Amino acid sequence: MRILQAMLASVLSVVLFLGVPVAGIPSGHAEAATSTDVSLAEINKTIEGAANHILDSGVSSEWEAIGLAAAGYPVPDAYYQNHFSQSVDSQVINPSRYAKITDIERHVIAAAAIGLDPLSVNGTDLIEKIYNSHDVSPGNDTMTLQGNNGPIFALIALDSQQFEVPSNAKWTRQKLIDELLKQQNEDGSWSLSAYMSGPSYDITAMALIALAPYTSSQGNVKKAVDGALSFLSSEQQSSGGFDDPFVGGTSSEATSQVIIALTSNGIDPTSKAFTKGSNNLVTHLLSFKSEDGGFMHVSPGNSNGMATEQALQALVAYQKFLKGEGKLYSFPKPLEPEPPTPMPDPTLTIKGVEDGQIVTTPEITVTAEAKDGEGNALVVDAKLNDQALEGNKSGEFVLSLKEGKNVLIVSAQDQNEKVVSKKVTIQYKKEAKDEDPPKLLDQVTLKPVWKDGKGTIEMDSISNLKAGGDIIIEIPDDSVTVVFPDESMSVMVNKEATLHLESSQVKMKTELKGFSKKEAEFSIQRMEGMKEALSNVYDFTIKQDGESIHDVKDAVELSFAVKEEEVDSTSTAVYFYNSDTEKWDHVGGDYADGWISVQPDHLSTFAVFNSAPTGTEEEEKTNEPEKTQDDGKTGSSPKENKKDDTVVPAANPSSGKKLPNTGVNEWYLPVAGGLLLLTGLSIYFWGARKKRKMEIKG
C-alpha cells in the first residue's frame, strides 16, 4: 500500500485546463451540484487550513510547493534553499545512478509553479531531459521504465507552460499520447503498468489530466477520455469515494486525483454522474479533514503529509473551477524583466561665446550649464588652452585669452559615467589702430624647428609674404626633411609662393602654384659620394597628404655646387640614376657661378658628372646608389624602394647615405694588383736564372 502511495506521490503533476463534454457526463457548469452542503466559503476556509498546516510543518516536497503556489500562497525561500535546489541536483542533474523520469517531471512542474525557468534550472535544461529521455540500458527507456507514470507526467510537465518540443525529439507530444492510448484497458481504465492488469483509480485520473488538452482536436483521445470517465463514475462508491484494497481501502488521495481530473476536463465533481446518494467527490474528500487542518489517508486516522498536499491541490482545482479562473496546473511563464530604461544622455550648453568667434578683448565671461537625462544639474569642468578654469556657483567662467587662437573645452559626466563635452575655438585679435598696414615682403627667410632631421614651419612665419613671393629656408648640407602643415601649405599655395631649400652644396626650388593645400614634406637626402661625381649625390622627394609626387615638370629646379676648374663646358651635366636600367641617365643643365642647375621632369637620385659612370655589365650594376638604415648598415636601393619613395634619414645627420663601389673602383684594384704580381714574378725568375748562370760558370 505504502509502496504505491510513494510511487503515485513521486509523479503527481500539473495539466492545462480544457473543458470537454463527455457522453453521459455533465461538463463545465451545465448541471449544478446535487449537494448544497459545501459552499465556496467552506472550500476557501478548508484550503486556508490545509495551507497553514503545510506551512507550519515546513515545506519539504515539490507537491506541497505546487499546491501552495496554485492556492496563491508564497512558497518560503527556505524550500528552494533547503530542499528544491539540493533535490534537483542529486536526483536530476547529478544522480548517483540515473535520473528517474518522474523526478525530472516533478521538478519541472514545481519550478514552473514557484516562478523558476525549467529551461534553465541550476544551468540545466530540464525540458530537454524529458523529450530526449535516456536509456538505462538498450531497450530500457526511462520514459516507460516506471510504467504509465512516465508518459502521463511528461505531457503534464510539457503542458504546464506549453514548452516547445522539436519535431525530431525522441518523445514528441503525439508519441506520448499514442503510448498512453495503447496502454488503456478495455474497461476504460489505466493500470500502473502493462505488468499490473488491475485498474488503478489514481493512474486513471492522472491519465485524464494528461490527455485533457487534446480531446477537442483528436477524436481517439476524446473517445479514450469518455471511456475513463464512465469507468470512474461506475466505480464510485456510495460514500462518494473509491475502494481500492491495494492502497488500504477508500483513500482520500484517489478522490483528490479524480477531482483534479474532472476539473481539468471541465466537469463538475459534484455533478450527478459523480454523486452517489447524498455524497459526491467534494463532500467525500472533506470527510477526511482533521482538526489540525491536514487530511487523513484513510478514515479514521491522523493527518498525513501526502494526503494533505493532494487534498489541497484538489480543493484549489475545484475552487478555480467554481470561480472560472482556469485549471490547477496551468502556470504563467515568468515575465521577462523589462530592461531598465536607459537614462538619456546628459546635455551641455555654453552661453557667451560661439565656436570660431573672433573677439577683440583679452577677457570674456562665458556660462556653462550641464544636466543629466533627468534634468539634474551636473558639475562642469572647463579648460582654456589646456589650463583648468574655476567657475562660480552660477557656472560662469572668466576666459583670459592669448592673442591668436584659443581653445575652450567644457565637459561634464553623469552618474552613469556618460560624458558630454564641447570644444569652442576663439580667435583673439587686438583692435586695429590707425596705423599703416604691415608691409608685405617679397622674400621671407625662415628657420624651421629641427628635430631628428625634420624641420617644421609654422603659418605665422609666412603671413607677411606678398603674393608670388619667395620663401628661403636655409638647410644643413646633409639629409633634411621640411614639413609644412595644412595651414602653412594653404597660405603658401594661396600666395603662389616659391619655396627655396638652400645649403652650401645643393638647392631645391619649387613653385607651389598648383599644389594642394594638404600637409607636404620636402626631402633632400645626401647619399655617399661617388669618385666620378663632381658634386654630392642627393635623393629628392616631395610628399603631399602621404603620397609621393613624381611629375614635377616646370615646377622644380635643382642646383648643385661644383668646382669651376672641374667643369667641362662641353660635357659636364646633371645625371639621374635610372633604377629600371640600373644606369645613370643624362639630364643636362646650365652652369653659372659655381652652380649647375636643371629642371627635371621627375624626382629621384641626381648628381653631376663629366660623363656617365662606365664599366662592364657587372660593374655598371654597382653604380646603383644605396641608402643606409638608421643603424648604418647598407639598406635598399632606389629600385628596391620603388613602392615607397621615402628616403630613410641617416642616423647621424652629418653623414651621407652609403653608395656601393663604382665601376672604376671595381676594376681598378684587380688590374693594379695583377700588374704588381706580374712584375714581381718577372723579377723573381730573372734573378733565379742569373744566379744559375753564375753557378754554371763557376
Side-chain angles (χ1 to χ4, degrees):
M1 177 180 68
R2 285 299 180 186
I3 294 175
L4 179 58
Q5 284 180 317
M7 294 177 68
L8 293 175
S10 68
V11 297
L12 188 60
S13 65
V14 185
V15 285
L16 294 171
F17 283 85
L18 179 61
V20 181
V22 181
I25 306 293
S27 64
H29 299 278
E31 182 181 335
T34 59
S35 173
T36 59
D37 295 335
V38 182
S39 65
L40 179 59
E42 184 176 353
I43 295 296
N44 294 340
K45 184 177 180 180
T46 307
I47 289 174
E48 181 181 1
N52 288 329
H53 178 82
I54 292 174
L55 290 169
D56 291 341
S57 301
V59 183
S60 60
S61 80
E62 280 67 60
W63 300 117
E64 289 177 342
I66 292 168
L68 289 171
Y73 285 81
V75 178
D77 292 339
Y79 160 72
Y80 174 81
Q81 297 168 357
N82 301 332
H83 182 81
F84 181 90
S85 183
Q86 298 175 22
S87 65
V88 77
D89 183 71
S90 62
Q91 297 175 20
V92 176
I93 301 174
N94 298 299
S96 58
R97 292 180 60 198
Y98 65 90
K100 294 180 181 179
I101 196 69
T102 53
D103 287 341
I104 302 172
E105 294 159 349
R106 185 179 75 254
H107 282 90
V108 165
I109 302 166
I114 64 176
L116 300 178
D117 183 5
L119 295 171
S120 180
V121 174
N122 291 1
T124 301
D125 185 349
L126 302 188
I127 300 301
E128 192 273 338
K129 285 183 174 292
I130 293 177
Y131 62 69
N132 282 334
S133 60
H134 70 278
D135 292 340
V136 177
S137 60
N140 289 318
D141 189 344
T142 52
M143 181 61 73
T144 56
L145 193 63
Q146 293 173 260
N148 291 320
N149 283 327
I152 285 174
F153 289 105
L155 283 170
I156 294 173
L158 293 175
D159 289 337
S160 64
Q161 287 184 334
Q162 289 298 301
F163 294 102
E164 293 185 8
V165 178
S167 59
N168 62 347
K170 186 177 182 181
W171 288 97
T172 62
R173 282 180 167 86
Q174 191 58 51
K175 289 180 181 178
L176 294 168
I177 292 170
D178 294 342
E179 177 66 22
L180 280 181
L181 297 183
K182 184 175 68 174
Q183 298 298 329
Q184 188 176 25
N185 299 322
E186 291 185 3
D187 61 2
S189 68
W190 273 272
S191 304
L192 180 62
S193 70
Y195 304 103
M196 300 179 68
S197 58
S200 168
Y201 304 118
D202 298 77
I203 295 297
T204 300
M206 295 172 187
L208 287 173
I209 298 170
L211 294 173
Y214 307 99
T215 55
S216 64
S217 59
Q218 299 189 38
N220 56 345
V221 174
K222 183 179 185 303
K223 181 178 179 181
V225 169
D226 287 348
L229 290 170
S230 296
F231 167 78
L232 291 173
S233 177
S234 65
E235 290 292 316
Q236 187 182 20
Q237 303 294 307
S238 59
S239 64
F242 300 89
D243 184 15
D244 188 350
F246 190 71
V247 297
T250 304
S251 70
S252 66
E253 290 92 332
T255 302
S256 294
Q257 291 305 313
V258 174
I259 291 174
I260 299 171
L262 294 179
T263 56
S264 295
N265 284 276
I267 299 170
D268 190 340
T270 67
S271 62
K272 181 177 180 180
F274 291 96
T275 299
K276 301 300 183 281
S278 61
N279 297 312
N280 57 50
L281 290 168
V282 176
T283 57
H284 179 67
L285 177 60
L286 293 178
S287 69
F288 289 87
K289 184 176 65 171
S290 298
E291 292 183 0
D292 61 4
F295 279 74
M296 297 175 281
H297 166 59
V298 293
S299 183
N302 298 319
S303 293
N304 175 273
M306 186 183 301
T308 302
E309 66 191 16
Q310 293 189 33
L312 173 63
Q313 293 182 62
L315 293 171
V316 172
Y318 183 52
Q319 179 194 58
K320 289 180 175 290
F321 175 81
L322 293 176
K323 297 170 69 174
E325 293 180 349
K327 302 176 183 180
L328 174 68
Y329 297 132
S330 178
F331 298 103
K333 290 186 177 181
L335 295 176
E336 291 287 338
E338 293 187 5
T341 303
M343 181 180 291
D345 292 339
T347 59
L348 175 64
T349 57
I350 301 176
K351 298 179 181 179
V353 69
E354 295 181 359
D355 187 34
Q357 183 174 343
I358 299 175
V359 299
T360 56
T361 56
E363 189 173 281
I364 61 173
T365 300
V366 299
T367 302
E369 182 182 55
K371 294 182 179 180
D372 64 16
E374 296 178 348
N376 302 310
L378 298 174
V379 176
V380 176
D381 295 319
K383 287 185 177 181
L384 179 64
N385 300 325
D386 290 329
Q387 298 295 318
L389 300 176
E390 289 189 9
N392 59 26
K393 294 181 179 180
S394 301
E396 292 181 340
F397 295 89
V398 177
L399 309 184
S400 297
L401 306 174
K402 66 178 183 179
E403 191 170 358
K405 179 181 177 181
N406 295 265
V407 177
L408 172 66
I409 298 177
V410 182
S411 62
Q413 178 175 294
D414 67 9
Q415 55 270 41
N416 295 323
E417 297 186 355
K418 287 186 177 180
V419 176
V420 60
S421 178
K422 285 189 178 182
K423 177 181 177 181
V424 177
T425 301
I426 310 163
Q427 290 284 345
Y428 166 48
K429 290 185 177 181
K430 292 182 178 180
E431 288 184 306
K433 298 180 180 179
D434 295 332
E435 298 177 354
D436 294 333
K439 184 178 181 181
L440 297 179
L441 305 175
D442 294 321
Q443 175 180 304
V444 174
T445 301
L446 303 179
K447 293 183 179 181
V449 178
W450 296 100
K451 183 177 181 181
D452 297 330
K454 279 192 174 184
T456 303
I457 304 299
E458 296 296 333
M459 182 181 68
D460 293 344
S461 305
I462 55 179
S463 58
N464 293 333
L465 181 70
K466 69 167 50 176
D470 294 299
I471 299 173
I472 311 298
I473 298 179
E474 297 179 357
I475 62 174
D477 289 338
D478 297 288
S479 301
V480 295
T481 298
V482 182
V483 182
F484 291 90
D486 291 357
E487 293 179 333
S488 298
M489 281 300 296
S490 177
V491 173
M492 292 192 299
V493 171
N494 287 338
K495 290 178 178 289
E496 297 185 358
T498 300
L499 176 65
H500 301 260
L501 303 183
E502 298 182 354
S503 75
S504 62
Q505 297 297 315
V506 67
K507 299 178 183 179
M508 180 178 179
K509 173 183 174 183
T510 306
E511 294 183 2
L512 300 179
K513 180 181 179 181
F515 275 70
S516 78
K517 299 177 182 179
K518 296 290 185 180
E519 178 181 283
E521 293 184 2
F522 296 80
S523 178
I524 302 175
Q525 304 291 316
R526 184 166 69 83
M527 315 295 286
E528 188 169 310
M530 294 180 64
K531 185 174 182 180
E532 302 95 317
L534 303 186
S535 68
N536 291 332
V537 183
Y538 292 98
D539 187 89
F540 301 86
T541 58
I542 299 176
K543 283 188 176 183
Q544 188 155 45
D545 201 20
E547 300 290 335
S548 296
I549 297 176
H550 298 286
D551 185 6
V552 295
K553 186 177 181 181
D554 299 327
V556 173
E557 179 179 284
L558 307 178
S559 300
F560 302 86
V562 294
K563 294 179 180 179
E564 184 175 2
E565 60 271 19
E566 295 179 352
V567 175
D568 185 334
S569 60
T570 61
S571 62
T572 301
V574 177
Y575 288 75
F576 81 92
Y577 181 76
N578 189 327
S579 60
D580 292 330
T581 63
E582 299 184 348
K583 293 182 179 181
W584 289 87
D585 289 354
H586 180 274
V587 180
D590 298 316
Y591 173 79
D593 301 326
W595 293 86
I596 185 166
S597 303
V598 68
Q599 286 188 307
D601 58 5
H602 73 284
L603 294 180
S604 61
T605 304
F606 293 84
V608 179
F609 299 94
N610 274 330
S611 60
T614 59
T616 66
E617 182 178 353
E618 291 298 321
E619 291 167 348
E620 287 178 357
K621 291 181 180 179
T622 65
N623 288 326
E624 178 180 347
E626 297 185 359
K627 301 172 185 179
T628 59
Q629 304 295 332
D630 286 351
D631 59 3
K633 296 179 181 178
T634 302
S636 58
S637 68
K639 180 177 181 181
E640 294 168 337
N641 276 334
K642 233 176 178 183
K643 293 182 180 178
D644 185 1
D645 292 333
T646 303
V647 177
V648 181
N652 182 0
S654 64
S655 63
K657 308 300 181 198
K658 185 178 179 181
L659 284 169
N661 292 326
T662 65
V664 173
N665 292 334
E666 292 289 334
W667 65 261
Y668 178 80
L669 291 177
V671 172
L675 290 175
L676 289 174
L677 178 61
L678 289 174
T679 301
L681 289 173
S682 298
I683 294 173
Y684 172 78
F685 285 114
W686 178 79
R689 183 177 180 184
K690 183 175 181 181
K691 181 178 181 182
R692 182 174 178 79
K693 286 182 178 181
M694 290 176 68
E695 289 175 352
I696 294 173
K697 288 181 181 181

